[in-house]
Amino acid sequence: SIDQIEFQFIMHDLGEKGQNIKSLFADADSDNSGVIEFREFVELIWKHMGKKAARPSWGRTSSKEAGDVPAMQPPPDDDDDDLEADESDEDEMPEDLVDLSPAEQQRRIKMRALWLMGSGTILVLLFSDPAVDVLGQWGKNLGISPFYVSFVLAPFASNASELVAAYSYALKKTSSTMTIALSTLEGAACMNN
């Protein structure tokens, strides 16, 4: 069961505000018990989602494992738009791996990740010392203090990979990749400050 405070948090997360939440709670609490039971909550959410189907029909299960829990019968599936939206949020599988078995896909993805991490490590080892020398020389030639070079210019250089990764994730424009992009930028900022 859900009390009124928990219900307010849930509905706030679903975008409802103010007096509308109180009236929704009163509508959902059909037995006036002061709490919303599971069945009442599902019916309310069903209405809130704007489904065209009728109210969910409730049946009783006879299974001992189910404990005589009400089971909702699914509505007829006449809306394929939700499926298309869900598919667009999923991460894309590289085209050359689509026809492989899931185990083989995972193995190849891990090998690619290992190859890319190894290549990146080698590139860091090769270019980090010359990059530090270049930044130091720029500081001397431009008359910039070593403090400024090390705390302002060097972090930009060291965060270039995070900036590129965040940009490439952001180009995909899905909620999960935008979250990854922002988390990458936040992590980069925290590491240098």
Side-chain angles (χ1 to χ4, degrees), residues 117-171:
M117 287 189 299
S119 300
T121 302
I122 290 171
L123 288 173
V124 166
L125 290 173
L126 290 174
F127 292 105
S128 62
D129 192 42
V132 169
D133 292 341
V134 166
L135 286 174
Q137 193 60 43
W138 278 0
K140 286 180 186 175
N141 290 348
L142 297 173
I144 300 173
S145 74
F147 176 83
Y148 183 79
V149 171
S150 62
F151 284 99
V152 176
L153 297 180
F156 279 117
S158 67
N159 285 341
S161 63
E162 284 89 353
L163 295 173
V164 170
Y167 179 73
S168 66
Y169 279 121
L171 286 178

Side-chain angles (χ1 to χ4, degrees), residues 22-51:
K22 290 180 181 177
S23 65
L24 285 172
F25 186 86
D27 290 343
D29 188 17
S30 58
D31 60 357
N32 295 322
S33 62
V35 294
I36 297 176
E37 301 298 326
F38 178 75
R39 180 187 53 78
E40 295 170 328
F41 181 73
V42 171
E43 287 178 2
L44 172 74
I45 296 300
W46 199 258
K47 284 187 219 174
H48 184 72
M49 289 173 41
K51 294 289 183 184

Side-chain angles (χ1 to χ4, degrees), residues 52-105:
K52 296 175 187 171
R55 288 182 128 184
S57 60
W58 295 88
R60 292 285 187 194
T61 61
S62 60
S63 169
K64 290 182 181 179
E65 292 86 28
D68 203 29
V69 175
M72 187 174 85
Q73 304 298 323
D77 189 20
D78 59 68
D79 193 8
D80 291 333
D81 294 338
D82 292 338
L83 293 175
E84 291 173 12
D86 290 342
E87 289 174 4
S88 67
D89 284 345
E90 293 180 10
D91 292 332
E92 296 177 11
M93 179 64 64
E95 290 180 19
D96 60 324
L97 301 179
V98 171
D99 296 330
L100 300 175
S101 69
E104 183 64 20
Q105 287 175 347

Side-chain angles (χ1 to χ4, degrees), residues 1 3-4 6 9 12 26 33 35 43 63 72 74 78 100 108-109 118 135 138 159 170 172 174 188 191:
S1 64
D3 64 19
Q4 193 162 5
E6 292 172 323
F9 285 120
H12 187 311
S33 62
V35 294
E43 287 178 2
S63 169
M72 187 174 85
D78 59 68
L100 300 175
R108 293 233 181 136
I109 288 172
L135 286 174
W138 278 0
N159 285 341
K172 293 183 181 180
T174 65
M191 282 181 10

